[in-house]
Amino acid sequence: MAVRHVLIKRPPDQVWRVLGDPTRYATWVPGTRRTRPSGGDWPDVDASLHYTLAAGPFRLSGRTVVRICEPLRRLELEAYAGPLGSARIAVELVPWGTDTVVIVDEHPLRGVGGGLHIAPTDLLLHLRHRRMLARLSRAVEETSPGTVAPAREHPRQTTASTPGGAA
């Protein structure tokens, strides 16, 4: 199981604003080139986004579905990656003084990926989480308070891309 954490020098509400904004998904998820809504009101339970991952010349389309949403505390996602199956990605926010400890726990859940849950897979997930948490931290800390949508608002425009965002 791949569990990793980071201390973000902002309170949980500012971290949640980034996690809860579907237009920002590609800014913190490594390799995500673009996203678009595919149902529901992100980050409500059962809301989903279609995404395109890119690594060099390779492209993979998939869908991420919100499974658990506890605003300002926890967001659990199931990311479907076609023939690879799906993964459970849990993001927990822990207040730490005026800052936030963000804990990410990810593991393969269904399909081929679930059968490949072995040490090398966990190593790859740890490397991915290091990058993901650094990107999330940067996205939150570079955002001045009040420049993103409040925690429960859900912008309708959800197409995002990351410059040179290959994983």
Side-chain angles (χ1 to χ4, degrees):
M1 182 161 36
V3 179
R4 202 162 179 91
H5 69 277
V6 69
L7 178 67
I8 297 180
K9 296 178 181 179
R10 295 289 185 273
D13 66 316
Q14 289 183 26
V15 177
W16 187 260
R17 286 180 180 146
V18 172
L19 294 175
D21 182 347
T23 66
R24 308 286 308 271
Y25 186 83
T27 65
W28 60 273
V29 178
T32 304
R33 291 291 181 139
R34 57 189 104 188
T35 63
R36 64 181 169 78
S38 63
D41 196 14
W42 190 271
D44 292 343
V45 172
D46 293 329
S48 61
L49 296 174
H50 277 283
Y51 62 84
T52 301
L53 287 178
F58 301 103
R59 301 283 184 266
L60 176 68
S61 293
R63 185 171 64 104
T64 297
V65 178
V66 176
R67 295 298 182 203
I68 298 173
C69 176
E70 296 174 9
L72 305 175
R73 235 185 108 235
R74 180 168 70 144
L75 182 64
E76 293 204 21
L77 309 171
E78 186 169 358
Y80 295 89
L84 297 177
S86 71
R88 172 191 168 264
I89 304 149
V91 182
E92 181 181 2
L93 308 183
V94 179
W96 200 259
T98 58
D99 302 330
T100 306
V101 174
V102 179
I103 303 165
V104 175
D105 172 3
E106 179 176 355
H107 63 268
L109 190 63
R110 306 173 200 250
V112 173
L116 295 175
H117 192 193
I118 54 177
T121 304
D122 280 350
L123 175 62
L124 292 174
L125 287 174
H126 277 287
L127 294 172
R128 173 182 157 81
H129 290 168
R130 182 184 312 167
R131 187 163 183 212
M132 179 177 10
L133 289 171
R135 290 170 61 135
L136 177 61
S137 182
R138 197 168 39 253
V140 172
E141 290 176 0
E142 289 176 352
T143 303
S144 299
T147 61
V148 293
R152 293 304 296 164
E153 283 187 18
H154 306 294
R156 297 292 173 202
Q157 176 74 23
T158 57
T159 300
S161 72
T162 304

